[in-house]
Every structure is written in C-alpha cells, then in structure tokens.
Amino acid sequence: MNMSGLSLRDLEYVVAVAEEMHFGRAAERCNVSQPTLSVQVRKLEDLLGLALFERGNRRVMLTPAGQTIVRQARIVMAEAQRLLVLASEGRGAPLTGRLVLAAIQTLGPYLFPLILRTLRQDFPLLALALSEARTAEILEGLRNGRIDAALVSLPVPASGLTVSPLFVEPFQLACPAEHPLARGGALRATDIAGPDLLLLDEGNCLRDQTVAACGAGSAAGRHATSLETLRSMVAAGAGYTLLPALAVPSGPDPSGLTVTRSFDVDGPGRTVALAWRTSDPRADGLAHLAAFFRAHAPAGTTACRDDGMPRPRAGRRDSVSDPV
C-alpha cells in the first residue's frame, strides 16, 4: 500500500463521521462541504480496500473493520498532535524527551536528592538519565555526544561548550574533634596547609581546588578515592580535609569524633556550572535548565546572577557544630 495516499486530514474526516454518525454534521465540524468530506472518506476506503461505514438513507454505522480503523486513527491523530507539541517545545523551554545529565562525583550524590522532585515538577516531559564521573570523563562525554549536559566545577576548558555558572558552594574544614584546628579564632585557608591535610586522588578537581586554596604542595597529604573515604579517615583521626558544603551532613555528630568549621570571609569554595555543547539545537531549553538550577540553588550556597556571573559571596561567621 502506498502511504502517499493517506493523510491526517482524511483520518480526521473518518473520526468525525464515526463520532457524529452523520456525514452532514461531520462536514460542518471539519469546516468542509459534505460532498468534499464524502469523496475523501470514499477515497480512503478505496485505498484501504475496506468499507468503513454502513450507509443507509437515515443512518450511518461503523462496520466491524471500520471500528478497528477508527480506533487506530484516533491513536495516529493523538501521536501527530504530540509531534507538534514536541516540535514546539523543542524550539524553546521547557525541555522534553531524554536528557543525559552528568555531574562530577563530589557533587552529584549530594545535589541530585535535593532538586530532583522540583526538577521533575518543572520539566514533566523530561526523561532524565543521571550519571557521575570525573571532570575529564564528563568533558569527553559532552564532546562525543554521550552526555547532553553536565554539572561541573569551574574552571573547565570551554571550547565548543556553553558554560553557565549556577551557584557558589563554600568549602568547610572537617577535622577530628580533638585536633587543634577544631576550635579557635577566625579560620583561614592557609591555616590548613600542613602535613595532616587529606586529599582526593589525582584527577579529581576538588583535590586541585583544595591544594590551590590552602597553598599546599600538590604531593601533600594522604589520598582517598572519594569524599566518603575522606570522611572516614577524618573520623579515624588520620587528619583533616576540605568538604564541599553540600557534602556536610546536618545535625550533631552522633559519635562526637568530628567537627566542621566554616572559614572566614572569602573562604575557599567552588563555582558549580552547567555545561552543554554549543551546537546542541536544544540550547534555549538548556539555558532554561540552567536558570532552574540558579533559582533553586541549595541552602548554604550563593546563587549566581541570571547572566551567569557569580555574585560576591557574603562573609560567614565561624562555627564549630556540624559533623562530618
């Protein structure tokens, strides 16, 4: 059968006749003359090789074959309407369809649980596929198309990418409760550049940011593969480390083994951004997604301005309260 002879308009005529059970009312509903509608319905029957309607002097009834065809015609018309909706939404926000969203490993496990419910409410037609990786792997995935958008920590090489800053996340010091750094006056990043500094392994952006913040040598400190391992090392008394604010649990430490402290004004932190390929035709929708993340910046972070530029961070008072 040649599909070129089948049109959505013909299906609309057939459905209208089936629902009105009258050619005249169906024609009026479709804004065409009755002869035009009747001719097109007959052409469709000829194309399908089926009689869709049983025609009488005073009534019209669907044949058994017609019932099946009309049922499928409704499905085809509904999907065609959905196609138009998707095309319309694809030209702007909000996003629809499948989106592979990655995040660096020191951010994803702590940010995703905070925003997923609201994200699904604001983007109900978006099918998210979440993943985590190191920055280098994420950037490679973005450029080869395996990843559509990514939450990264600045700076990143931006060639071929659009990078939109979202919020600034401060770092906090996590240390054993008995350590000298667990108490005292104003805390500065340079105070922690000592032999007890614990770091993540090479290739993790948080390691590089910690080293840069406190002025320690790149080989300083013992190493761990994850934030959770760093947390355990601190609790074991092996040393102290920097933790992003979102990775610091709330409430008192039940064990009493660890404390966290905020830094003085202009303490260390990182700027989290959303990155995507500049060539992605969904650029407007992805910009809308970035605006969503800025509007829902988690507590304890500072949202960037709408133009993507980080706002100056307010000073923080020193505290010794939160557990690791």
Side-chain angles (χ1 to χ4, degrees), residues 16-17 22-35 37:
V17 174
H22 192 280
F23 277 83
R25 290 194 298 270
E28 185 176 339
R29 169 174 153 178
C30 295
N31 296 314
V32 296
S33 67
Q34 181 174 336
L37 182 140

Side-chain angles (χ1 to χ4, degrees), residues 14-92:
V14 167
V15 171
V17 174
E19 292 177 351
E20 298 293 341
M21 286 300 171
H22 192 280
F23 277 83
R25 290 194 298 270
E28 185 176 339
R29 169 174 153 178
C30 295
N31 296 314
V32 296
S33 67
Q34 181 174 336
T36 297
L37 182 140
S38 297
V39 168
Q40 291 304 118
V41 169
R42 184 68 73 179
K43 284 184 177 179
L44 180 59
E45 289 179 315
D46 292 341
L47 176 67
L48 298 175
L50 296 170
L52 304 180
F53 298 100
E54 183 180 330
R55 298 162 172 86
N57 291 333
R58 295 182 178 272
R59 65 177 184 175
V60 176
M61 293 193 309
L62 278 168
T63 64
Q67 293 175 2
T68 302
I69 295 300
V70 168
R71 186 163 51 247
Q72 187 63 34
R74 289 192 178 102
I75 295 173
V76 172
M77 290 174 62
E79 289 300 315
Q81 184 61 40
R82 177 171 169 79
L83 181 72
L84 295 177
V85 171
L86 292 176
S88 175
E89 290 174 343
R91 293 192 292 269

Side-chain angles (χ1 to χ4, degrees), residues 245-258:
L246 296 183
V248 178
S250 60
D253 181 2
S255 69
L257 294 174
T258 60

